[in-house]
Amino acid sequence: MASLTILETSDAFSAEWEKLAARLEVELFRTEEPAEAVARPAIGLVVACGGTEDRSLDVLNQLNRLGAETPLFVGASPDHRLAVEIMKRGAGGYYALPADIESLETHLRSRVERITADAAERPSPAYDFSAIVGTHPSLQEALRLTALVIPSPSATVLITGETGTGKELFARAIHDNGPRASKAFVAVNCSAVPANLLESEFFGHEKGAFTDARATKPGLFEIGEGGTIFLDEISAMPYELQGKLLRFLETRELRRVGGVNERTVDVRVLAAANAELPALVRDGAFREDLYYRLAVVRIQLPPLRERGSDAVLLARHFVASIGESYGGAGTHLTEEAVRAISSHGWPGNVRELRNAIERGILLSSAREISPEHLAIESTPLVEPGQATTAGSPLPFPASMEQLESAAARAALDHCGGNKSEAARLLGITRARLYRMLERAQRTDG
């Protein structure tokens, strides 16, 4: 079904969109984020700006930077000068509502008919998504977006989701099904490389550039020439290096550490984050311009707890695939194990589920996996806003600063040192968690 995207920077016409979508018989997607609006496939992108000139032109400039295709603008004022200025800068038209609602509908209806006719004549590509298991609509929506970006060999994609939701699987699916499949797929975890080595790792270095640079070394971008580089945990990239990454994305040129010559590198960049990057932007921990450059298309992966019966479907898939590799063909889940899997919250998502199934296969001796083999914790995690139980590690009475510091340390211990998961558990950004931990260390000192 075709989709209509409304970028609402003004709610002046909010009541009109549901009616318009119903008359056109299309799905409706509404957002206030330009990057999200550009990422959605649509019969047309309609920008509801309310007729304010400065705001309209500012939004249009953002959309142009993100590569949006001829958006339509809607305002309340029949200002011909504004309409001319907007169209000169790349808009597909300007409509003053409510007077021009019929003209807008006629324009969009012609696009629906044209897209429907084109789709009927063009066979849809068949991509191999067999490594990604699940039937929940939220997962299928992520796969639909993935299929749309695969044919574009240079489009930058940002894949977001909690730890363990399968971000690298989606990145590999984009690479393996796309025009760069025969070339290298280079995956790098930005949080696993020491900050002082990141620039050298990414961009390479010349011999003698620093003390241990005994030979010239190409960086990961050069190693990925012609293929794809996947930057996992992009939110962990030091702020001073983010500007250099932005420059590379805009020019496709880099200079090795200690070098003087620019090198042009043809590589597709995919990035992933389990932190909420817009929140990091607001906290000043991530560059806004880099975020918009990375999020030309954003694919949001749902957590396993929101995917309904997919948890059991995945569990049975892992039982079959892992069981075969361990010589445990024919192993199955008991009804009790299925109920335990269905009721568990899976804070570690698909990765946690896979590990639980592998553990169950190794510990079961009768080709039958029971809840005790899975070793699923029966006590659910305390979600943000819930009361803690007696014996809590938080001090009381105490100042708010002491409580925050204690909460940060307790969450980090609970998550095994995983800062991203601890931040998610507390309902805060990772940048704020860092500040809380630093404050706790100063207090301890």
Side-chain angles (χ1 to χ4, degrees):
M1 188 177 186
S3 172
L4 171 64
T5 297
I6 306 294
L7 176 57
E8 279 187 299
T9 62
S10 165
D11 61 0
F13 319 107
S14 187
E16 299 291 337
W17 308 132
E18 297 287 350
K19 300 175 187 175
L20 180 60
R23 292 196 296 271
L24 293 172
E25 297 182 327
V26 297
E27 292 179 344
L28 181 65
F29 177 73
R30 296 159 71 167
T31 180
E32 296 177 1
E33 296 291 336
E36 287 186 354
V38 173
R40 296 285 300 199
I43 62 166
L45 168 56
V46 176
V47 182
C49 270
T52 306
E53 180 174 357
D54 290 343
R55 181 60 175 147
S56 298
L57 295 178
D58 178 59
V59 171
L60 182 55
N61 289 335
Q62 288 185 55
L63 293 174
N64 286 337
R65 287 197 300 270
L66 292 169
E69 294 184 10
T70 57
L72 304 176
F73 274 69
V74 165
S77 169
D79 185 339
H80 298 297
R81 185 182 60 80
L82 174 59
V84 170
E85 185 63 27
I86 285 177
M87 293 178 68
K88 278 171 57 179
R89 299 199 187 192
Y94 177 84
Y95 297 85
L97 298 191
D100 293 340
I101 186 65
E102 291 185 5
S103 299
L104 175 62
E105 182 175 342
T106 299
H107 178 93
L108 293 174
R109 189 176 298 282
S110 68
R111 295 195 64 169
V112 172
E113 293 170 352
R114 185 168 66 252
I115 290 171
T116 302
D118 290 346
E121 296 175 2
R122 184 176 62 251
S124 28
Y127 295 128
D128 181 8
F129 292 146
S130 57
I132 302 170
V133 177
T135 60
H136 194 271
S138 60
L139 182 72
Q140 293 303 309
E141 172 64 13
L143 287 171
R144 186 175 69 85
L145 282 175
T146 301
L148 289 167
V149 301
I150 282 174
S152 304
S154 300
T156 304
V157 180
L158 177 64
I159 307 169
T160 57
E162 294 178 6
T163 298
T165 48
K167 295 184 287 293
E168 185 167 345
L169 274 180
F170 272 76
R172 287 189 177 274
I174 292 172
H175 173 78
D176 292 343
N177 286 285
R180 297 179 181 268
S182 62
K183 301 295 184 180
F185 178 86
V186 180
V188 55
N189 189 321
C190 298
S191 66
V193 182
N196 61 323
L197 297 179
L198 270 173
E199 183 175 3
S200 173
E201 286 294 309
F202 285 158
F203 302 117
H205 62 252
E206 299 290 351
K207 180 179 179 180
F210 47 86
T211 303
D212 294 326
R214 297 184 178 87
T216 295
K217 176 187 174 183
L220 294 172
F221 286 103
E222 291 181 77
I223 292 172
E225 172 71 40
T228 302
I229 184 166
F230 173 55
L231 304 178
D232 199 7
E233 295 271 20
I234 189 71
S235 55
M237 178 174 286
Y239 196 87
E240 59 272 17
L241 190 57
Q242 293 174 23
K244 294 182 179 181
L245 174 59
L246 175 63
R247 183 180 181 279
F248 173 77
L249 291 173
E250 291 177 339
T251 66
R252 299 294 163 168
E253 294 180 345
L254 58 82
R255 180 184 300 156
R256 291 175 179 168
V257 176
V260 294
N261 297 321
E262 297 279 355
R263 300 168 183 271
T264 301
V265 178
D266 174 29
V267 63
R268 181 176 198 165
V269 178
L270 307 177
N274 57 28
E276 190 58 41
L277 285 186
L280 293 181
V281 170
R282 288 193 296 272
D283 287 348
F286 201 86
R287 291 181 62 124
E288 183 177 21
D289 47 6
L290 177 58
Y291 167 70
Y292 284 120
R293 190 62 186 80
L294 289 170
V296 172
V297 177
R298 179 179 175 182
I299 299 174
Q300 175 70 33
L301 305 189
L304 186 54
R305 63 181 174 276
E306 296 178 3
R307 288 173 53 184
S309 61
D310 275 3
V312 174
L313 186 66
L314 276 161
R316 289 185 168 132
H317 167 76
F318 290 140
V319 167
S321 59
I322 300 172
E324 185 176 352
S325 65
Y326 280 126
T331 301
H332 66 280
L333 297 163
T334 65
E335 291 184 10
E336 293 79 7
V338 170
R339 284 196 292 271
I341 289 168
S342 298
S343 61
H344 188 55
W346 301 111
N349 292 294
V350 179
R351 184 183 295 121
E352 181 191 357
L353 174 60
R354 189 190 188 285
N355 292 341
I357 295 299
E358 185 172 6
R359 179 169 53 248
I361 291 172
L362 290 171
L363 297 180
S364 63
S365 56
R367 297 287 194 270
E368 194 173 74
I369 300 176
S370 300
E372 59 266 24
H373 299 134
L374 298 173
I376 298 174
E377 294 182 9
S378 57
T379 304
L381 292 176
V382 177
E383 293 295 336
Q386 291 181 332
T388 56
T389 59
S392 166
L394 300 184
F396 193 83
S399 68
M400 182 58 69
E401 183 173 307
Q402 290 172 318
L403 287 171
E404 285 189 348
S405 298
R409 285 180 294 197
L412 195 61
D413 289 343
H414 186 89
C415 297
N418 186 321
K419 292 184 176 66
S420 297
E421 189 64 24
R424 185 198 69 78
L425 182 65
L426 292 170
I428 61 176
T429 66
R430 191 160 64 174
R432 184 180 175 192
L433 177 68
Y434 285 149
R435 291 195 294 270
M436 290 164 65
L437 291 170
E438 288 172 1
R439 191 161 57 231
Q441 289 174 350
R442 288 196 301 270
T443 302
D444 292 343

